[in-house]
């Protein structure tokens, strides 16, 4: 007894979950009614059957085959919008329709849940007529309530209801209705530049071609009024002066007076401070003069001695 009482809640919960997971199959339900075979085919072709079967509570507004002839030749996406507009997202049977508050109500549809409708296109208006009947129509302003409820076809309380209506509901603008796409997110900020590298920059590879040698500048031409090199006695600015070569002085063998040429010889042997000092020819000339003076002095002294 205790075991049966403990298993009862578990069995009830399992049955409830199984019944909720597979509440109905809309194609099988409509397949039992030949007058709705066109509607069943449109539901299958537009792949709306899976979306309808996944709902727990739903109401189908079914139109007979002859009433759907106006959909023939329309694009598949337009047919899908129109058929999904006939699927209410709530369970409504005839007794519940009689209890509509204020005799009118706006109801959402599967087309509204798809996100493709704009404005009031995805909603239907259900209203009690003064004649005692109930009619459906688009919730778009200015639309007429032209789809009257004919009868209840299928009623599975709180899960599935199929109500036959007199004509399809095709509101103006549904053929070109497209919901605006969502605003794309802003682009990500640009990546930060990499930190400077501490490694030294690579040296450029030496080129095979050597750099051109610099062109020597041309020497400026000498001035027109420059003096001739033969008359110029000043030493060049860039040549270092050679060391003075001391001229040997001849010692006379006797205290006899030196001839007149002696001072000349001494002066010549001493050399002029302005004489050219960087030419080897000038140095040889001074030596020759000194030798000549010594020779003359020796001859003079020898003559005086005799």
């Amino acid at each position: 007894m205790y075991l049966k009482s403990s298993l009862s809640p578990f069995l009830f919960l399992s049955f409830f979950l199984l019944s909720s997971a597979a509440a109905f199959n809309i194609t099988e339900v409509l397949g039992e009614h030949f007058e709705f075979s066109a509607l069943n085919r449109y539901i299958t072709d537009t792949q709306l059957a899976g979306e309808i079967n996944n709902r727990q509570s739903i109401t189908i507004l079914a139109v007979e085959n002859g009433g759907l002839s106006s959909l023939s030749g329309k694009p598949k996406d337009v047919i899908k919008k129109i058929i999904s507009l006939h699927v209410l997202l709530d369970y409504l049977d005839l007794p519940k329709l009689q209890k509509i508050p204020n005799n009118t109500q706006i109801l959402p549809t599967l087309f509204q849940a798809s996100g493709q409708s704009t404005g009031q296109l995805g909603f239907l208006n259900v209203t009690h007529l003064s004649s005692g009947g109930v009619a459906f129509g688009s919730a778009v302003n200015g639309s007429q309530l032209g789809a009257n409820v004919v009868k209840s076809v299928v009623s599975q309380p709180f899960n599935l209801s199929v109500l036959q209506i007199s004509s399809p509901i095709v509101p103006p603008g549904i053929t070109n209705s497209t919901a605006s796409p969502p605003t794309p997110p802003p682009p990500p900020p640009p990546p930060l530049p990499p930190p400077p590298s501490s490694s030294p920059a690579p040296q450029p590879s030496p080129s095979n071609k050597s750099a051109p040698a610099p062109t020597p500048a041309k020497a400026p031409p000498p001035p027109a009024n420059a003096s001739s090199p033969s008359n110029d006695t000043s030493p060049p600015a860039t040549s270092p002066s050679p060391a003075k070569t001391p001229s040997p002085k001849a010692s006379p063998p006797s205290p006899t007076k030196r001839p007149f040429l002696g001072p000349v010889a001494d002066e010549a042997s001493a050399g002029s401070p302005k004489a050219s000092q960087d030419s080897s020819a000038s140095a040889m000339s001074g030596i020759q003069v000194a030798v000549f003076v010594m020779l003359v002095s020796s001859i003079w002294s020898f003559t005086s001695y005799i």
Side-chain angles (χ1 to χ4, degrees):
M1 187 68 182
Y2 175 77
L3 181 61
K4 290 182 179 179
S5 61
S6 61
L7 288 178
S8 296
F10 177 75
L11 293 175
F12 177 78
L13 179 61
S14 300
F15 176 77
F16 177 78
L17 292 177
L18 290 175
S19 61
S20 299
F24 57 85
N25 188 320
I26 190 59
T27 57
E28 292 181 0
V29 171
L30 293 178
E32 298 176 359
H33 302 272
F34 177 76
E35 66 272 22
F36 303 122
S37 60
L39 175 63
N40 197 12
R41 184 177 68 254
Y42 285 137
I43 289 177
T44 303
D45 293 344
T46 56
Q47 299 179 355
L48 287 173
E51 298 182 36
I52 295 174
N53 293 335
N54 288 333
R55 298 283 176 174
Q56 297 298 321
S57 298
I58 209 156
T59 300
I60 305 295
L61 302 180
V63 182
E64 288 184 340
N65 298 335
L68 294 179
S69 59
S70 59
L71 301 183
S72 178
K74 292 184 181 296
K76 182 180 289 188
D77 61 331
V78 175
I79 295 177
K80 183 175 183 179
K81 294 176 182 178
I82 295 174
I83 297 300
S84 61
L85 188 65
H86 291 71
V87 180
L88 303 177
L89 302 181
D90 195 7
Y91 174 80
L92 291 174
D93 54 10
L94 292 179
K96 195 171 182 179
L97 286 176
Q98 298 298 329
K99 299 177 182 180
I100 294 176
N102 300 323
N103 295 328
T104 185
Q105 190 175 356
I106 302 298
L107 304 173
T109 67
L110 190 61
F111 180 45
Q112 172 65 25
S114 68
Q116 296 181 355
S117 65
T118 57
Q120 294 293 101
L121 279 177
F123 296 90
L124 290 183
N125 181 7
V126 57
T127 302
H128 282 278
L129 302 177
S130 59
S131 59
V134 178
F136 285 90
S138 174
V140 177
N141 291 334
S143 299
Q144 297 181 354
L145 300 173
N148 298 321
V149 176
V150 178
K151 63 180 181 179
S152 175
V153 179
V154 176
S155 178
Q156 298 178 6
F158 312 113
N159 291 126
L160 175 64
S161 174
V162 179
L163 301 175
Q164 181 182 351
I165 58 177
S166 59
S167 60
I169 304 171
V170 184
I174 194 173
T175 57
N176 54 3
S177 64
T178 303
S180 58
T183 306
L192 297 176
S197 176
S198 58
S199 59
Q203 298 294 332
S205 58
S207 175
N208 294 333
K209 297 182 179 180
S210 58
T215 306
K218 293 183 179 181
N225 55 357
S227 57
S228 175
S230 59
N231 297 329
D232 189 10
T233 57
S234 61
T238 58
S239 301
S241 301
K244 293 183 180 181
T245 306
S247 302
K249 294 183 179 182
S251 309
S254 59
T256 310
K257 270 188 172 186
R258 297 180 62 182
F260 178 73
L261 292 177
V264 177
D266 293 337
E267 181 178 355
S269 62
S272 174
K274 294 181 181 181
S276 178
Q277 312 248 336
D278 60 336
S279 174
S280 61
S282 300
M284 291 298 297
S285 177
I287 295 174
Q288 291 175 359
V289 170
V291 171
F292 177 74
V293 170
M294 292 176 61
L295 182 60
V296 171
S297 299
S298 299
I299 294 174
W300 179 266
S301 300
F302 180 72
T303 306
S304 298
Y305 179 76
I306 295 175

